[in-house]
Amino acid sequence: MNFLANPLLASTSSSDTLASMMDPFGFGRAAMNYWRDSVERNILYWDVMRERGNQYLAHMEQTKPNVLGFETEVLMDGRTLPNPTNYELLRVLPPSNVQVDPQKRPFVVVDPRAGHGPGIGGFKPDSELGVALKAGHPCYFIGFLPFPEPGQTVEDVVEAEVAFLRHVIELHPETTEKPMVVGNCQAGWQIMMAAALEPDVFGPILIAGAPLSYWAGEHGKAPMRYTGGMTGGSWITALTSDIGNGLFDGAWLVQNFERLNPANTYWKKQYHLYANVDTETKRYLEFERWWGGHVVLGGDEIQYIVDNLFVGNRLSTAQLVTRDGRRIDLRNVRSPVVVFCSRGDDITPPPQALGWIRDLYEGEEDIIANEQTIIYCLHDTTGHLGIFVSGSVSRKEHSEFTANMDYIDVMPPGLYETTISHASERTDAELIERDYLLEFTPRNFAELDQDVMHKPEDDRRFATVARISEINLGLYRLYLQPWLQAVMTPEAARWIRRMHPIRLGYKLLSDRNPLTVPLPVMAEYVRRHRQPVEQDNMFKALESMASDQIVASLDAWRDLRDSSTERMFMDIYGQPLLQAAVGLYGDAHVHRRRPGAEPEHRRFIEHRQNELRHKIAQGGPHEAVMRSVIYVLGGAPATDERNFKRLRASRAELEPSTSLSEFKRLVREQFFILKLDREQALASLPTLLKGQSNERIDGYITHLEHVFAASGELSEHAAERFEQVKALFDKARPKAVSAPAAKASGEAENASVESAKTKEVAPANAAPDTASDTAAKKPSRRAPNQRKGTQRKQ
């Protein structure tokens, strides 16, 4: 190249050559590039902080702030109810590219009111609401306003949610299926309280990251459960409410969450934005709009929550009683309950999400006796917020729960764990319609205890905390509360809320601070002339290493703090003298006997068993088919959603007029009959099929084969059970008759069929003719020679 012909290239080449001579290893150029990049990133970072402050102020000035990503309309305002609350029912309007089927089950999401504002359940397109909308469900959202109504209580909120659900049911008279309700975190236990009081308004319930058993936890983890003991009980909650003139600032709850992970709060989250400021700004601001949207709770509300749930642990042991005398017993919940939790959740770890099952029941047999279906799903990595947001790590769980709620709604009572596998990882992928397969495995309490890790000695420690909390709260109310309430004014309380460190962090870095005036101008200039440093820059690598060291140091400090706190808690509240001083030493039932052990409950179970014994031989072909399905599949270690597709077809083919609630009753009743007396239940199958023709019986067997084929080949044990069922069905076949008699019988049967078609009414103990016609056209794929041989013999 002729450098003389191009002076610019010649100058550039000369400068590069000179730079290479003066800086042969490139350290100086790498340092200059990194210095420029770091200055630019600093300017952009602080400008994002300014935008965050402006966003916070604009959000808090709204009358009804929320972070929902969907358009909504208000259907009911809780402030108009007999006991006013700050909650409201919203209808979620689907996006233009989404079609909603009003015939489908309504889907209701209830967001937590634990310091933050509403909307996290519909925060993103792939959130809980987004998943349900894509599946075509009519969706509703129960949110709340920033300030409570005067005198509002937790019971008022529960009653408001029940009223909202009744209104949703009224809006969908064309469907008999009750709404599916999702309760996130704090809303989870609130929804369970409502379902225990009014079980008739609930369909399947999904509680995500909801702590129902606050005393449960694994040693070395779940540090939040020690907070009540280390502060001397709930008197500190009453003090905070009195400082707020009867209102509790949710920013204090948010601060507790942030202290759990100081590395993330004080460094990692902010450094991630600084290091990726060119791409992370939008995501960061979206999340901060919710995280910084602090709300206020009523003093009576938070005191009830801390006394009865956090410290008292009374919900999971049926000790809560409403003001009108109703006991809140979670055994009254009649809907299937799906518990979604994660081992990566440090706010609601699995023991606190699942411990209520062990607190309430003596074993899996007790769950079955109460006709309850409890399903739990354990994620390995997702954090607390990831459970609600339905992000990339937990999207498939929410999608599968939503898609299979009809299956879950008719599952037999018991305790199950669900797992989700990718279709491509299975050998029977051609039988799976979607990308994932939901499978259910029956569990016992020994397996549940591997996740709950219950320790009776810890119960006595936490019961000691509860007693000391009552003592300290009484002393505070006697000596300090009257003085504090006398001097605190509403204006002073507002000033204290404004001066909270978390709130100030947002306000000081906004346009209201004159020092931020140059930031937008500087940031705009940087964006126009941005020169990001290469990722292989040695100084950028050193920066990343330094960040990792800071995170490791903060994590080490957190671990030391948490382990020291746990050790102090165990030593203090494990002292026999302290336990004896509050009347708990040597008490074998420190917080109450399990409700399942009560005599009245045992009498109820005995009465229910006697009723079922009388029904063993009652019914017809549909009872026989359903009993056979449950018997064969009950012998398998697990079942999955594909069986439900055939069960749903069973309902459509054999009993098209049967409602879902009646179908569910049939499934559960046959399950209990098999559980009560399996030998007698099987021996009664020929009785249930008495009077059926060979063609009908062949049709029932073919139908059973289709049900079992939906999930692939049967296991050896299940196949043996199926052969046993077919032999029992063969016993019900009519005896051989002469040709004229057979002809007359056939003409009579045809006449009765025509009569039934004319009246459009099927006999109560026989399947509709559409089932037999369908079955006759579908030859059996299992043991055809056996049936033909039987017919030839006849």
Side-chain angles (χ1 to χ4, degrees):
M1 179 179 290
N2 188 355
F3 293 105
L4 296 177
N6 193 331
L8 181 60
L9 289 177
S11 176
T12 302
S13 177
S14 300
S15 61
D16 289 345
T17 302
L18 181 62
S20 298
M21 293 175 60
M22 297 183 63
D23 185 21
F25 298 104
F27 292 148
R29 281 172 292 174
M32 289 298 295
N33 291 339
Y34 173 76
W35 174 81
R36 173 168 180 155
D37 175 72
S38 63
V39 171
E40 291 176 348
R41 280 188 289 149
N42 266 283
I43 294 172
L44 295 176
Y45 171 83
W46 289 112
D47 189 59
V48 173
M49 293 295 102
R50 178 190 63 84
E51 291 183 38
R52 185 188 72 158
N54 294 339
Q55 175 182 267
Y56 169 82
L57 294 172
H59 184 75
M60 297 306 295
E61 288 172 359
Q62 296 178 14
T63 305
K64 299 180 179 181
N66 67 65
V67 296
L68 282 174
F70 303 92
E71 295 293 328
T72 60
E73 60 177 349
V74 179
L75 297 180
M76 284 187 69
D77 191 331
R79 293 174 293 183
T80 64
L81 296 175
N83 295 316
T85 68
N86 64 334
Y87 280 68
E88 57 185 9
L89 173 66
L90 307 177
R91 188 204 307 271
V92 181
L93 304 178
S96 57
N97 61 338
V98 173
Q99 294 294 326
V100 169
D101 183 1
Q103 300 287 338
K104 284 192 172 184
R105 183 194 300 273
F107 191 95
V108 183
V109 172
V110 188
D111 250 12
R113 183 162 155 256
H116 303 99
I120 193 66
F123 185 50
K124 295 181 178 181
D126 58 352
S127 59
E128 293 163 336
L129 282 175
V131 168
L133 284 171
K134 290 178 182 177
H137 291 271
C139 290
Y140 300 86
F141 181 79
I142 297 179
F144 45 87
L145 304 179
F147 288 87
E149 290 295 293
Q152 176 177 313
T153 66
V154 171
E155 289 185 30
D156 295 336
V157 173
V158 169
E159 291 173 0
E161 290 171 343
V162 171
F164 293 159
L165 289 175
R166 292 194 187 280
H167 186 64
V168 170
I169 294 173
E170 292 173 0
L171 293 175
H172 296 272
E174 67 280 0
T175 178
T176 60
E177 299 172 0
K178 299 296 175 59
M180 171 185 171
V181 184
V182 178
N184 295 324
C185 189
Q186 172 266 351
W189 58 256
Q190 206 164 265
I191 284 298
M192 290 293 283
M193 290 175 63
L197 293 173
E198 301 289 343
D200 61 307
V201 300
F202 284 83
I205 300 172
L206 169 61
I207 50 177
L212 274 77
S213 184
Y214 298 86
W215 292 2
E218 179 183 358
H219 286 184
K221 297 181 180 179
M224 285 191 71
R225 68 178 183 146
Y226 305 120
T227 303
M230 301 313 295
T231 57
S234 67
W235 72 272
I236 195 72
T237 305
L239 172 66
T240 307
S241 299
D242 290 336
I243 291 175
N245 195 43
L247 297 176
F248 185 92
D249 188 0
W252 293 109
L253 297 176
V254 177
Q255 189 176 65
N256 286 339
F257 298 147
E258 290 188 341
R259 285 175 177 169
L260 279 176
N261 192 349
N264 184 70
T265 299
Y266 302 122
W267 180 260
K268 195 174 180 179
K269 181 173 68 172
Q270 303 303 328
Y271 173 74
H272 183 72
L273 171 65
Y274 169 74
N276 305 277
V277 71
D278 298 304
T279 58
E280 284 294 303
T281 297
K282 181 180 179 181
R283 185 203 62 82
Y284 178 85
L285 290 176
E286 283 180 349
F287 177 77
E288 285 296 309
R289 188 161 66 97
W290 176 75
W291 189 254
H294 310 120
V295 298
V296 176
L297 291 83
D300 292 338
E301 285 183 285
I302 191 65
Q303 196 66 43
Y304 179 96
I305 293 170
V306 174
D307 284 339
N308 292 298
L309 281 79
F310 293 169
V311 175
N313 197 43
R314 296 188 175 101
L315 177 60
S316 67
T317 51
Q319 296 181 72
L320 288 180
V321 180
T322 63
R323 54 180 170 242
D324 57 356
R326 292 180 295 169
R327 183 176 297 279
I328 302 176
D329 188 345
L330 297 184
R331 293 179 306 154
N332 294 334
V333 178
R334 300 270 67 88
S335 304
V337 179
V338 180
V339 183
F340 185 27
C341 54
S342 172
R343 296 182 178 91
D345 185 355
D346 55 355
I347 294 177
T348 306
Q352 292 189 6
L354 300 172
W356 65 278
I357 304 172
R358 203 189 185 289
D359 289 345
L360 198 62
Y361 302 99
E362 294 184 312
E364 62 275 9
E365 298 291 337
D366 200 14
I367 297 176
I368 294 173
N370 279 279
E371 302 185 24
Q372 286 192 302
T373 303
I374 302 175
I375 302 164
Y376 64 94
C377 178
L378 277 170
H379 198 282
D380 288 327
T381 58
T382 189
H384 188 67
L385 297 180
I387 295 176
F388 318 145
V389 178
S390 184
S392 58
V393 292
S394 58
R395 185 187 302 117
K396 66 178 183 295
E397 280 83 0
H398 283 283
S399 298
E400 292 303 308
F401 292 148
T402 302
N404 290 284
M405 270 302 160
D406 286 344
Y407 181 23
I408 292 172
D409 201 16
V410 298
M411 283 187 65
L415 178 66
Y416 304 88
E417 181 178 8
T418 181
T419 56
I420 300 175
S421 58
H422 200 285
S424 61
E425 299 173 355
R426 301 178 59 93
T427 57
D428 54 354
E430 70 280 356
L431 298 174
I432 304 173
E433 295 180 358
R434 295 188 306 278
D435 293 336
Y436 297 95
L437 178 68
L438 197 65
E439 296 181 277
F440 302 89
T441 304
R443 295 299 187 202
N444 55 43
F445 267 40
E447 294 166 318
L448 179 68
D449 277 341
Q450 295 176 8
D451 294 306
V452 175
M453 291 169 283
H454 177 254
K455 294 179 176 58
E457 61 274 15
D458 282 358
D459 282 353
R460 186 171 290 105
R461 289 186 174 98
F462 284 101
T464 303
V465 172
R467 292 283 178 88
I468 291 177
S469 175
E470 293 171 357
I471 295 171
N472 288 342
L473 180 61
L475 293 173
Y476 168 77
R477 286 173 170 167
L478 178 64
Y479 293 109
L480 294 180
Q481 191 175 59
W483 295 94
L484 193 57
Q485 291 179 342
V487 300
M488 187 55 61
T489 64
E491 185 56 39
R494 282 193 292 270
W495 183 85
I496 292 173
R497 281 198 297 272
R498 292 177 187 141
M499 296 302 293
H500 192 283
I502 291 183
R503 295 180 185 270
L504 279 178
Y506 289 89
K507 293 178 182 177
L508 292 178
L509 293 173
S510 68
D511 285 344
R512 294 185 183 181
N513 186 343
L515 295 178
T516 64
V517 171
L519 275 176
V521 179
M522 297 168 63
E524 182 60 29
Y525 177 84
V526 168
R527 291 188 185 99
R528 288 200 308 266
H529 302 87
R530 180 80 169 103
Q531 293 186 20
V533 71
E534 296 81 2
Q535 290 300 318
D536 59 353
N537 185 286
M538 62 177 298
F539 294 98
K540 183 70 180 294
L542 289 173
E543 174 193 290
S544 180
M545 292 171 60
S547 173
D548 292 342
Q549 288 297 320
I550 293 173
V551 170
S553 300
L554 289 172
D555 284 344
W557 176 79
R558 176 204 61 196
D559 294 342
L560 177 62
R561 178 200 65 186
D562 293 346
S563 61
S564 301
T565 301
E566 182 179 72
R567 190 178 304 110
M568 290 178 61
F569 179 92
M570 295 297 174
D571 290 344
I572 292 172
Y573 292 101
Q575 288 291 330
L577 181 61
L578 180 61
Q579 294 174 358
V582 296
L584 290 176
Y585 186 73
D587 188 357
H589 304 287
V590 295
H591 59 290
R592 192 179 186 269
R593 294 177 60 194
R594 288 192 178 91
E598 300 301 328
E600 60 270 19
H601 176 67
R602 296 189 182 279
R603 284 196 296 271
F604 165 77
I605 297 300
E606 183 179 354
H607 178 70
R608 176 65 174 151
Q609 289 176 347
N610 290 333
E611 285 183 343
L612 290 173
R613 284 193 177 93
H614 292 297
K615 293 184 177 181
I616 291 179
Q618 296 178 3
H622 204 185
E623 283 77 7
V625 170
M626 189 56 61
R627 190 177 299 179
S628 301
V629 169
I630 296 172
Y631 172 64
V632 175
L633 295 181
T639 184
D640 59 55
E641 62 188 80
R642 292 169 296 178
N643 288 321
F644 175 63
K645 297 186 180 97
R646 293 306 309 170
L647 287 176
R648 187 163 49 192
S650 169
R651 173 185 161 205
E653 292 175 12
L654 300 181
E655 293 284 352
S657 61
T658 303
S659 65
L660 179 64
S661 59
E662 181 64 20
F663 182 67
K664 180 178 178 180
R665 183 203 62 78
L666 175 65
V667 172
R668 288 174 175 259
E669 188 171 88
Q670 296 307 313
F671 173 83
F672 280 120
I673 287 174
L674 278 166
K675 195 78 176 176
L676 180 65
D677 192 340
R678 187 177 66 180
E679 298 302 324
Q680 183 62 32
L682 294 175
S684 300
L685 287 178
T687 304
L688 299 177
L689 293 170
K690 186 177 181 180
Q692 300 297 307
S693 65
N694 283 324
E695 290 76 11
R696 285 176 179 262
I697 292 176
D698 285 342
Y700 299 143
I701 294 176
T702 301
H703 172 72
L704 289 173
E705 291 173 346
H706 290 163
V707 171
F708 303 141
S711 54
E713 291 296 324
L714 291 175
S715 66
E716 182 179 353
H717 186 52
E720 291 176 358
R721 290 188 172 209
F722 188 29
E723 293 299 325
Q724 182 183 358
V725 165
K726 287 192 288 187
L728 291 168
F729 273 47
D730 286 340
K731 288 184 178 180
R733 295 182 184 276
K735 295 180 179 179
V737 295
S738 62
K743 182 178 179 181
S745 176
E747 291 174 354
E749 182 178 354
N750 291 335
S752 66
V753 169
E754 291 299 326
S755 175
K757 287 183 179 179
T758 303
K759 296 179 181 180
E760 294 185 352
V761 175
N765 65 340
D769 290 306
T770 54
S772 61
D773 293 341
T774 303
K777 294 177 183 178
K778 297 179 181 179
S780 172
R781 294 184 295 171
R782 291 182 184 271
N785 294 332
Q786 178 181 347
R787 287 196 299 278
K788 291 180 179 178
T790 304
Q791 293 172 0
R792 283 196 298 267
K793 183 177 180 180
Q794 292 170 348

